[in-house]
Amino acid sequence: MSLKIGVHGLTSCYGCQLKMASVKEIINIARNFDIKYWYMISSKGEIEHVDIAFVEGSVTTKEDERELKIIRENADILVAVGSCAIHGGVQGILFGEEYEKAFKEVYGDKKIEYEAEISHPIKNFVEVDYNLPGCPPEEDEIIYYLATFALGSYPEEKDYPVCSECRRNGYPCVLIEKNDCCLGPLTVAGCNARCLKYGISCIGCRGALEEIAWFDSLAKTFKEKNMGEEYVKSRMEIFGKQYEKMEEMLKKVFENED
Ligand code: SF4
Ligand code: SF4
Ligand code: SF4
């Protein structure tokens, strides 16, 4: 019997869903699944019980939180898809006073239905069984996850950084050779060091390696290369704003003048 799946989007750009929908073999792959919910490609249906729910996007509104809990209650396995769902995404950069200020500049006194809150990864609200990283995830990873589930097995998450792929490809190290602020050492691999192929430093779009992201030791290296705290913080915050230990790690490095 085919596995029942649902694909959901919370606060996000819908890029992860779009990537899933545009996988070259998606029509053939989809034949192996019974798709119960995928709003982006079909408006039908209420959320119902599925074997696997894929959730893109972060929790940025009360509505997101409510929907996420319903999804979780109705899924045997829940997969967080992409940096928004796994880490909170770029939408967490502005909140509170900063958000009010930016909103006023852009929209003046207009009102919107939802007020922005700090963006949270979905693991802060529900149990997450697997993470499918990326912004958006790579095609081969999407196929790997779907195929592994279809075979009755479970995907293995990568636990090594972008640097591994960069070195394997023999790309010049922009951190060593150009003193660039490259976040490859703390970013989860899987993109085959795409940006480094073009000599562009990694901005960490796939998210920090959970538990072993050494923001402090990398920040120390950046400091030794004369990069200032504000600059380093502004780079690390783009995809790491919600990483709770980051600020503390940076303070430790930059407040120590040794
Ligand atoms: S992880 Fe990236 S591609 Fe996916 S929804 Fe968020 S911003 Fe869009
Ligand atoms: S360029 Fe960046 S990703 Fe590549 S080895 Fe250097 S620090 Fe790591
Ligand atoms: S920013 Fe880093 S993680 Fe994202 S695609 Fe580029 S190299 Fe890969």
Side-chain angles (χ1 to χ4, degrees):
M1 215 165 61
S2 302
L3 286 173
K4 289 182 272 183
I5 64 168
V7 182
H8 306 266
L10 305 176
T11 297
S12 66
C13 78
Y14 271 36
C16 291
Q17 288 189 59
L18 185 61
K19 186 74 185 188
M20 289 178 78
S22 52
V23 165
K24 278 195 212 89
E25 293 296 323
I26 195 67
I27 302 293
N28 287 333
I29 293 169
R31 291 198 181 103
N32 294 292
F33 296 95
D34 179 5
I35 300 173
K36 291 293 181 194
Y37 190 98
W38 193 342
Y39 185 72
M40 180 184 241
I41 59 173
S42 162
S43 60
K44 73 179 164 94
E46 293 289 309
I47 294 171
E48 57 181 282
H49 179 268
V50 290
D51 298 296
I52 310 160
F54 293 88
V55 180
E56 164 207 81
S58 66
V59 175
T60 312
T61 64
K62 288 281 171 225
E63 179 56 26
D64 284 336
E65 187 180 334
R66 194 191 64 80
E67 189 178 340
L68 176 61
K69 286 178 178 164
I70 295 172
I71 296 166
R72 176 69 270 190
E73 281 163 16
N74 285 285
D76 291 343
I77 292 174
L78 188 144
V79 183
V81 183
S83 289
C84 295
I86 301 169
H87 301 284
V90 290
Q91 55 269 42
I93 288 179
L94 292 181
F95 66 100
E97 280 179 21
E98 284 177 315
Y99 164 78
E100 299 291 341
K101 189 163 165 271
F103 187 93
K104 220 168 176 60
E105 274 172 27
V106 177
Y107 297 107
D109 292 326
K110 291 196 176 68
K111 297 269 178 249
I112 54 166
E113 191 178 347
Y114 301 113
E115 275 181 36
E117 299 174 2
I118 177 72
S119 171
H120 290 281
I122 64 174
K123 68 178 178 199
N124 289 10
F125 300 91
V126 296
E127 193 180 336
V128 171
D129 299 299
Y130 297 95
N131 293 315
L132 170 52
C135 183
E138 301 294 320
E139 180 160 323
D140 60 347
E141 288 182 301
I142 294 170
I143 293 172
Y144 166 66
Y145 274 58
L146 289 170
T148 310
F149 286 130
L151 289 168
S153 188
Y154 308 100
E156 204 171 312
E157 295 175 23
K158 292 187 175 68
D159 58 1
Y160 51 92
V162 169
C163 283
S164 314
E165 296 173 329
C166 183
R167 301 317 323 126
R168 201 171 59 213
N169 283 310
Y171 301 144
C173 179
V174 295
L175 173 59
I176 293 173
E177 294 185 18
K178 290 165 52 183
N179 288 343
D180 278 359
C181 190
C182 183
L183 301 189
L186 54 76
T187 303
V188 66
C191 61
N192 204 20
R194 175 177 290 115
C195 301
L196 290 315
K197 181 179 179 183
Y198 302 100
I200 299 167
S201 56
C202 173
I203 204 167
C205 82
R206 290 177 56 83
L209 279 157
E210 294 281 353
E211 310 301 334
I212 52 167
W214 295 306
F215 287 97
D216 47 1
S217 58
L218 187 57
K220 190 163 182 289
T221 302
F222 293 150
K223 185 183 172 188
E224 284 161 7
K225 290 178 176 291
N226 294 322
M227 291 178 225
E229 181 175 3
E230 280 312 305
Y231 174 64
V232 171
K233 190 163 174 259
S234 69
R235 295 270 299 176
M236 289 183 169
E237 270 186 353
I238 298 172
F239 284 93
K241 181 89 176 181
Q242 295 80 5
Y243 195 88
E244 53 192 33
K245 294 184 204 140
M246 186 187 77
E247 203 144 323
E248 187 190 318
M249 286 178 172
L250 291 186
K251 269 206 177 83
K252 184 176 75 184
V253 171
F254 285 99
E255 285 179 7
N256 177 359
E257 291 307 321
D258 292 344

